[in-house]
Amino acid sequence: MNSNLIHRDLTFSDNSNACVLYGELNRNLQALEKSTSVSISARGTNVRIAGMPHEVELVADLLSQLYELIGKGYPVYSSDFVFGLKVLETTPKAKLGKIFLDKVYVTTQNRVISPKTQNQKIYIDSIRKNDIVFGTGPAGTGKTYLAVTMAVSALAMGQVRSIILTRPAVEAGEKLGFLPGDLAQKVNPYLRPLHDALNDLLGPEKAADLIEQEVIEIAPLAFMRGRTLSNAFIILDEAQNTTQEQMKMFLTRIGFDSRAVITGDTTQIDLPVKTQSGLLQAKKILSNIEGIGFCTFSKQDVVRHPLVQQIINAYEKQ
């Protein structure tokens, strides 16, 4: 028997909240066991956690904080156990309530959208504080989804009159060839991820209605030239694939009572060789301007399937 192993006992005061914490058939506790090397046994309101000291204390802190959030009415999801564990691993003294209780938006399915990592919380706060925000980092960190969520929230609260979502139409390592159909059909494959985010937040019917009413506009970046975008929430996605000229053009479209979020992953630039990314240049020359925020995500902020972070790690080791 390993003499370094310890156990920690927790007792929760409310049985129904404890059941929510454990999950159906203790599913949440079983997921924690798979993510760590601890063993967890639960009986009623009592839980025993056994394993190596560091992991025992980590899991005990996680369960205690999530139980407290349930008591405050937060609808804990199974994914919160994964995200909460990652937060506490990197920042042991972190308070999950300050992150998870920041309710950004409630979807048509009554799903609460809130930040899941400290960098996501910083990103959300920066969007609230600044008129222009750059969010950069790897895929799966929530850059675009949270930006669209903030846009939908601003529209719902009457802070803006319209949402404009745009992307540069650059082929991501593939030659798509001739695309049939009208102009909208030709560029639609590039803009599909933005449609997906809207459909998830608003539901397909409401999203389609707002697009038809031109309250929400989804268009390739080239369509922004010559316009002044006022009283709008504007999102430029995949900004690593803008040229310097395109980035300058976009940033100078922003009118009064508007805010803009620019997102991109500088490790996935699909521009022709020797063409410098407008996103990289903007980060260099705009960093000291008040009212412009810069947020950088890392692989620790990946909130997709747990395998995504492992895939990123594997590619980085090449």
Side-chain angles (χ1 to χ4, degrees), residues 116-185:
K116 298 302 182 184
T117 72
Q118 286 192 317
N119 279 336
Q120 286 193 352
K121 171 63 174 170
I122 292 169
Y123 183 53
I124 291 297
D125 288 341
S126 184
I127 294 173
R128 289 170 175 150
K129 178 183 176 183
N130 298 290
D131 288 335
I132 298 175
V133 173
F134 288 82
T136 57
T141 51
K143 304 181 301 295
T144 301
Y145 190 84
L146 286 175
V148 175
T149 302
M150 289 294 287
V152 170
S153 176
L155 182 68
M157 292 189 291
Q159 296 174 350
V160 295
R161 288 203 300 261
S162 63
I163 296 173
I164 298 172
L165 310 175
T166 185
R167 271 185 161 197
V170 176
E171 296 170 345
E174 302 174 70
K175 295 299 179 185
L176 300 180
F178 175 76
L179 294 171
D182 60 22
L183 185 58
Q185 291 171 323

Side-chain angles (χ1 to χ4, degrees), residues 24-253:
E24 186 179 358
L25 301 176
N26 292 348
R27 192 166 297 165
N28 294 334
L29 302 182
Q30 293 169 11
L32 275 178
E33 288 181 320
K34 290 181 179 179
S35 300
T36 64
S37 60
V38 304
S39 62
I40 307 174
S41 58
R43 188 169 185 177
T45 57
N46 300 311
V47 173
R48 170 163 287 192
I49 309 160
M52 298 298 290
H54 169 71
E55 288 196 315
V56 168
E57 294 303 322
L58 181 67
V59 171
D61 187 19
L62 175 66
L63 291 175
S64 297
Q65 291 202 47
L66 290 180
Y67 175 79
E68 185 178 341
L69 291 180
I70 292 170
K72 293 180 179 179
Y74 177 76
V76 169
Y77 304 104
S78 58
S79 59
D80 290 328
F81 289 79
V82 177
F83 302 147
L85 196 64
K86 288 168 63 176
V87 170
L88 294 175
E89 281 177 334
T90 55
T91 313
K93 294 183 180 180
K95 298 300 181 184
L96 298 181
K98 291 184 177 180
I99 301 173
F100 291 176
L101 290 178
D102 187 350
K103 187 185 296 184
V104 179
Y105 186 74
V106 180
T107 71
T108 51
Q109 292 81 31
N110 289 322
R111 184 164 58 90
V112 176
I113 306 298
S114 61
K116 298 302 182 184
T117 72
Q118 286 192 317
N119 279 336
Q120 286 193 352
K121 171 63 174 170
I122 292 169
Y123 183 53
I124 291 297
D125 288 341
S126 184
I127 294 173
R128 289 170 175 150
K129 178 183 176 183
N130 298 290
D131 288 335
I132 298 175
V133 173
F134 288 82
T136 57
T141 51
K143 304 181 301 295
T144 301
Y145 190 84
L146 286 175
V148 175
T149 302
M150 289 294 287
V152 170
S153 176
L155 182 68
M157 292 189 291
Q159 296 174 350
V160 295
R161 288 203 300 261
S162 63
I163 296 173
I164 298 172
L165 310 175
T166 185
R167 271 185 161 197
V170 176
E171 296 170 345
E174 302 174 70
K175 295 299 179 185
L176 300 180
F178 175 76
L179 294 171
D182 60 22
L183 185 58
Q185 291 171 323
K186 290 177 189 294
V187 300
N188 187 63
Y190 299 106
L191 305 172
R192 188 71 248 172
L194 299 174
H195 283 280
D196 291 343
L198 285 174
N199 290 342
D200 188 47
L201 292 165
L202 296 169
E205 289 186 7
K206 186 174 182 180
D209 286 344
L210 290 174
I211 291 171
E212 185 177 354
Q213 297 167 24
E214 297 185 348
V215 174
I216 297 177
E217 178 183 353
I218 306 178
L221 182 58
F223 285 25
M224 300 298 110
R225 189 173 299 278
R227 300 177 61 183
T228 300
L229 308 174
S230 299
N231 210 326
F233 198 117
I234 314 151
I235 298 172
L236 171 57
D237 193 33
E238 296 289 330
Q240 76 275 6
N241 289 328
T242 60
T243 64
Q244 297 178 30
E245 294 76 14
Q246 285 176 322
M247 179 61 75
K248 181 180 178 182
M249 179 273 291
F250 172 80
L251 292 172
T252 54
R253 298 307 92 203

Side-chain angles (χ1 to χ4, degrees), residues 256-303:
F256 289 107
D257 299 318
S258 286
R259 62 184 76 175
V261 179
I262 299 96
T263 69
D265 179 357
T266 55
T267 68
Q268 296 188 11
I269 297 174
D270 301 306
L271 293 168
V273 178
K274 296 183 180 181
T275 301
Q276 185 179 2
S277 167
L279 177 59
L280 290 175
Q281 184 198 43
K283 289 184 68 177
K284 290 179 182 178
I285 67 176
L286 303 178
S287 59
N288 294 322
I289 297 180
E290 187 175 351
I292 300 180
F294 292 86
C295 299
T296 303
F297 295 92
S298 72
K299 61 186 178 183
Q300 301 300 326
D301 297 300
V302 171
V303 291

